[in-house]
Amino acid sequence: MSKLLVTGGAGFIGSNFVHHVIAHSDHDVVVLDKLTYAGDRATLEGLPEDRVQLVVGDIADPEAVDPLVAETDAVVHFAAESHNDNSLSDPSPFVQTNLIGTFTLLEAARRHGTRFHHISTDEVYGDLELDDPAKFTPETPYNPSSPYSSTKAGSDLLVRAWVRSFGLEATISNCSNNYGPRQHVEKFIPRQITNVIDGVRPRLYGAGENVRDWIHADDHSSAVLRILERGRIGETYLIGADGERNNLEVVQAILRLMGQEADAFDHVKDRAGHDLRYAIDATKLREELGWEPAYTDFEAGLAATIEWYREHESWWRPQKAAAEAKYAAAGH
């Protein structure tokens, strides 16, 4: 697979994957990205121009998609509308991108016999009780709770159907919450970090008891590359790094690492339909493909992430005012 088409490669997780591929493999990359508010050319700065090409286009546009799929050896499909709050206020872009966009890519991959890897989320499984010892596995039934997670669940099912019905050479990965460099400041961890940098108290939904299973974007990238190169066709792999923390613990860790008091935050009204707990069982990925995360210490990864945002204010500053205005309008 000498050339990869990476959809959404100018977004947070996609751009981290592109950087990882260039650093750790011989693959060249074509990035297809619509450059909505969540995509930015700056995420690809510093990458070699002879190995990385950016094409601005919509994954739901067959005329943009088909020639790119035809000339690449594999599609790695990161592109998605992914913010739960946004999906509650307007679900339509989520249906268009996550369902119609995935369908368009699958059809192009089917026409050209192209290897396909689909990036999904653990949110398709719904949530677990806070005191439940269980974790999500590839056999966990789907139970999405928002327009975002339901459209991602639908896109997963499309991929599975194209494998079974048309023999498409595809794999799926469902990952826990990513953190790390180049994440839009509307998201939980970078929002809190940049608020503290600005002297603004972090804001926490409800009591902060909701649990997420955090993984550094570098570890997600290494897992995806391993699945792409060695994964069994038709299989689903769950990607996680045993990083369960509740939101209160994350905010307190950020405050502590940034030299603030642990209680220097404010509670705000909880989000509608806020899932309680996500937890990933990545046994299949680790045992079958021999993958292990590099960031086994969450606070070490968090400290590195804080340092990145301190050093790259010019990258996130243009996003900050608009993101906070949207939160303020929602009372958050």
Side-chain angles (χ1 to χ4, degrees), residues 106-107 109-116 158-171 232-235:
L106 287 170
E107 283 291 86
R110 178 161 76 104
R111 278 191 296 274
H112 299 290
T114 307
R115 171 78 167 90
F116 193 95
L158 287 175
V159 176
R160 291 181 182 178
W162 261 243
V163 171
R164 181 167 178 174
S165 298
F166 306 119
L168 185 71
E169 292 190 359
T171 45
R232 287 187 292 133
I233 297 303
E235 293 296 313

Side-chain angles (χ1 to χ4, degrees), residues 245-266:
R245 299 287 190 284
N246 70 36
N247 290 344
L248 175 60
E249 292 171 328
V250 174
V251 166
Q252 290 176 331
I254 290 170
L255 288 165
R256 183 170 60 254
L257 290 166
M258 298 184 75
Q260 303 291 311
E261 295 296 324
D263 61 353
F265 64 90
D266 296 319

Side-chain angles (χ1 to χ4, degrees), residues 1-6 17 21 27-30 72 74 76 228:
M1 289 178 286
S2 60
K3 183 182 287 188
L4 309 180
L5 175 62
V6 178
F17 177 73
V21 165
H27 303 308
D28 294 335
V29 175
V30 177
T72 50
V76 188
L228 182 68

Side-chain angles (χ1 to χ4, degrees), residues 12-91:
F12 164 48
I13 305 178
S15 67
N16 276 281
F17 177 73
V18 175
H19 281 266
H20 183 86
V21 165
I22 296 304
H24 298 282
S25 81
D26 296 326
H27 303 308
D28 294 335
V29 175
V30 177
V31 171
L32 175 60
D33 200 295
K34 195 176 178 180
L35 294 184
T36 63
Y37 78 96
D40 192 336
R41 295 176 187 270
T43 62
L44 302 173
E45 287 180 355
L47 292 170
E49 293 183 4
D50 61 332
R51 293 187 62 195
V52 179
Q53 174 191 1
L54 172 62
V55 177
V56 180
D58 187 346
I59 61 169
D61 177 3
E63 292 186 2
V65 164
D66 194 79
L68 296 177
V69 174
E71 67 180 24
T72 50
D73 300 292
V75 176
V76 188
H77 178 31
F78 286 88
E81 291 285 347
S82 65
H83 196 283
N84 265 307
D85 287 350
N86 293 348
S87 80
L88 295 171
S89 60
D90 183 9

Side-chain angles (χ1 to χ4, degrees), residues 94-243:
F94 293 77
V95 172
Q96 181 67 19
T97 296
N98 299 350
L99 291 174
I100 303 302
T102 300
F103 163 76
T104 303
L105 288 163
L106 287 170
E107 283 291 86
R110 178 161 76 104
R111 278 191 296 274
H112 299 290
T114 307
R115 171 78 167 90
F116 193 95
H117 181 69
H118 178 62
I119 308 297
S120 191
T121 170
D122 57 359
E123 295 192 38
V124 299
Y125 301 114
D127 59 352
L128 301 163
E129 295 295 332
L130 295 177
D131 58 355
D132 187 347
K135 295 185 176 184
F136 299 136
T137 73
E139 289 72 41
T140 301
Y142 278 22
N143 187 30
S145 58
S146 70
Y148 161 56
S149 56
S150 63
T151 54
K152 286 300 290 184
S155 66
D156 290 8
L157 296 177
L158 287 175
V159 176
R160 291 181 182 178
W162 261 243
V163 171
R164 181 167 178 174
S165 298
F166 306 119
L168 185 71
E169 292 190 359
T171 45
I172 298 172
S173 58
N174 297 82
C175 190
S176 55
N177 285 51
N178 279 231
Y179 72 98
R182 307 181 194 91
Q183 188 172 25
H184 195 285
V185 294
E186 70 178 6
K187 299 292 189 176
F188 178 61
I189 286 180
R191 186 188 183 204
Q192 313 311 329
I193 292 170
T194 53
N195 275 350
V196 175
I197 290 173
D198 281 350
V200 176
R201 289 167 65 91
R203 296 177 173 87
L204 189 64
Y205 282 138
E209 295 178 345
N210 306 71
V211 173
R212 298 295 178 261
D213 193 346
W214 294 98
I215 183 172
H216 195 281
D218 287 351
D219 286 332
H220 186 196
S221 296
S222 69
V224 169
L225 188 59
R226 183 70 58 89
I227 296 165
L228 182 68
E229 294 179 337
R230 304 186 195 175
R232 287 187 292 133
I233 297 303
E235 293 296 313
T236 294
Y237 296 90
L238 269 59
I239 304 174
D242 299 321

Side-chain angles (χ1 to χ4, degrees), residues 274-286:
H274 197 176
D275 286 348
L276 292 176
R277 172 175 164 259
Y278 306 148
I280 286 283
D281 181 346
T283 300
K284 178 178 177 179
L285 173 65
R286 296 186 184 208

